[in-house]
Amino acid sequence: MKPIVYFSREITPEKVLELYRTLGKELPGKIAVKVHSGEEGNQNFLHPEFWKSVVDAVKGTVVECNTAYAGSRNYTEQHRRLLRKHGWSEVFDVDILDAEGPDLELPIPNGSVLKKDIVGKDIENYDSMLVLSHFKGHAMAGYGCASTAGKAWIHSGGTTTDQNRFRDSLPAQDVFLAGMADAASAVVDYFHGSMAFVNVMKNLSVDCDCCAVAEDPCMKDIGILASLDPVAVDQACIDLIYAATDDPGQKHFIERVESLHGIHTIECAAALGVGSREYKLVEL
C-alpha cells in the first residue's frame, strides 16, 4: 500500500495537532521533538508558539543540535542563549543533543557515501521522535539530527569531523546529497518506526532558517502535511511546489531546488528503503 500523506491548506497550531492525531500513531516513551529553532536574525523560522499545541499534547522535549557553521548556534552556551532569546526555553523543555560529548555513532551499512552517522549522544535518552519541519529552500539542501562533528562529516562526504576544516573538502553536490540521505536513514533505523513527520509549507523562502540574513518568502503559503513516511511527506511537498503554477514566486523557488539537484536526497532516501516516493494524498 502507498503511504498516506495528510494535507490541510489551513495553517494553524490546532491544525498541526489535528493532522498529527490523524496519523493514528501514539509515539512511545520519552518523545524527542525535532525542530529548527532559527538562527539569530532569521525572520522566517516558525516560532515556538506555533508548535506548542502538538508538543504539549505529546509531552515532548524539544531537541536541537549545535551547528557546524559560524553563528549563534555552533557552541552550546551561545546556542542556549539563543534558544532563550527565541522563546523556546520559556515554552518547552529543551535538550541540545550534543551539548556534551562524546557523540554517538550510528552505523549505516548500506550507505552509498557514509558508513556511519554521528549524532548527539543524548538521542539515547529518547524512545521516539516527532519531526516538526519548516519546509523551505536551502543553500545546499539537507536536514537531520547530526551533531556539530556529524554535520562536518556529512558536508565533507565523510572525510572530516572538524567543523573548521570541512569546507576545504566539500564533495560534489550529488555526493553531499546522497550523504544526507544516508544520515537520515541512520536516524530512522535507530528509532525502529517510532517516528512521525509534520511539514509546514509556510514562509516559503529559498533560504533555510539557518541563514541570519535570509531572503524573504517568495511563494504563498501552501499548507501542512503529515505522514509516518519521511520520504513521502517530502515528495508531497515538492509535488505541491510544482503544482503551484499560478504562484508568481514558483519559478524562483524551483530554480533554487533544481540548481542544487535538491530532489536527489529524496531519490537516495527512497533507494535506501527509508520510505516511498509514491503516496496517497488525503486532504482534510
Side-chain angles (χ1 to χ4, degrees), residues 20 26-32 58-61 125-129 191 194:
Y20 166 72
E26 185 173 345
L27 295 173
K30 189 174 182 180
I31 301 172
V58 302
K59 298 179 173 62
T61 299
N125 297 333
Y126 299 94
D127 304 294
S128 56
M129 178 173 281
F191 282 108
S194 294

Side-chain angles (χ1 to χ4, degrees), residues 1-3 5 143 181 184-185 188-189 197 227-235 265-279:
M1 288 180 60
K2 295 179 182 178
V5 178
Y143 49 89
S185 74
V188 170
D189 288 346
F197 307 87
S227 183
L228 299 178
D229 186 310
V231 175
V233 74
D234 281 358
Q235 183 67 58
T265 295
I266 295 176
E267 294 171 341
C268 292
L272 285 167
V274 176
S276 170
R277 296 184 67 191
E278 296 186 358
Y279 58 89

Side-chain angles (χ1 to χ4, degrees), residues 15 46 56 59 62 64-65 97 113 115 118 122 141 145 149 162 191 194 212 214 224 241 257 260 276:
K15 188 60 71 170
L46 301 180
D56 285 353
K59 298 179 173 62
V62 165
E64 268 267 53
C65 291
L97 297 179
V113 174
K115 297 303 179 184
I118 305 170
D122 283 2
C145 294
D162 188 339
F191 282 108
S194 294
I224 303 171
I241 293 291
V257 174
L260 297 170
S276 170

Side-chain angles (χ1 to χ4, degrees), residues 13-260:
E14 294 75 21
K15 188 60 71 170
V16 172
L17 177 57
E18 179 185 332
L19 262 66
Y20 166 72
R21 285 179 168 160
T22 302
L23 293 175
K25 185 178 184 66
E26 185 173 345
L27 295 173
K30 189 174 182 180
I31 301 172
V33 181
K34 179 68 179 74
V35 303
H36 196 308
S37 62
E39 184 55 70
E40 176 100 55
N42 186 277
Q43 76 275 30
N44 296 325
F45 76 96
L46 301 180
H47 290 244
E49 293 78 9
F50 181 80
W51 299 119
K52 190 174 189 305
S53 294
V54 70
V55 177
D56 285 353
V58 302
K59 298 179 173 62
T61 299
V62 165
V63 302
E64 268 267 53
C65 291
N66 292 322
T67 65
Y69 59 83
S72 298
R73 301 186 303 134
N74 58 335
Y75 294 104
T76 298
E77 287 310 311
Q78 63 188 36
H79 195 168
R80 284 179 174 149
R81 285 195 295 271
L82 187 61
L83 286 165
R84 289 193 294 270
K85 181 177 180 179
H86 281 176
W88 295 96
S89 303
E90 303 299 319
V91 179
F92 306 119
D93 292 331
V94 178
D95 185 1
I96 298 176
L97 297 179
D98 61 334
E100 299 177 359
D103 290 334
L104 177 68
E105 293 187 0
L106 304 179
I108 316 173
N110 298 321
S112 62
V113 174
L114 306 179
K115 297 303 179 184
K116 65 179 180 182
D117 188 22
I118 305 170
V119 300
K121 68 176 178 60
D122 283 2
I123 200 172
E124 292 184 306
N125 297 333
Y126 299 94
D127 304 294
S128 56
M129 178 173 281
L130 172 60
V131 182
L132 303 178
S133 298
H134 175 205
F135 184 85
K136 67 280 181 188
H138 197 283
M140 292 183 71
Y143 49 89
C145 294
S147 64
T148 293
K151 289 180 173 69
W153 182 250
I154 295 167
H155 279 266
S156 68
T159 60
T160 182
T161 58
D162 188 339
Q163 64 172 310
N164 298 311
R165 297 183 57 191
F166 76 89
R167 291 180 181 82
D168 298 329
S169 52
L170 294 177
Q173 178 69 359
D174 276 7
V175 173
F176 161 67
L177 295 171
M180 286 300 310
D182 291 341
S185 74
V187 176
V188 170
D189 288 346
Y190 178 81
F191 282 108
H192 302 291
S194 294
M195 298 184 78
F197 307 87
V198 176
N199 285 7
V200 175
M201 302 184 74
K202 176 181 174 65
N203 297 347
L204 289 164
S205 168
V206 298
D207 287 327
C208 180
D209 295 343
C210 55
C211 296
V213 181
E215 186 176 301
D216 286 338
C218 64
M219 291 186 66
K220 299 175 185 176
D221 297 344
I222 292 178
I224 303 171
L225 299 91
S227 183
L228 299 178
D229 186 310
V231 175
V233 74
D234 281 358
Q235 183 67 58
C237 286
I238 289 291
D239 291 343
L240 285 168
I241 293 291
Y242 277 94
T245 53
D246 59 343
D247 192 311
Q250 182 210 41
K251 181 179 179 181
H252 182 48
F253 195 98
I254 289 175
E255 283 174 348
R256 170 61 64 89
V257 174
E258 292 185 348
S259 68
L260 297 170

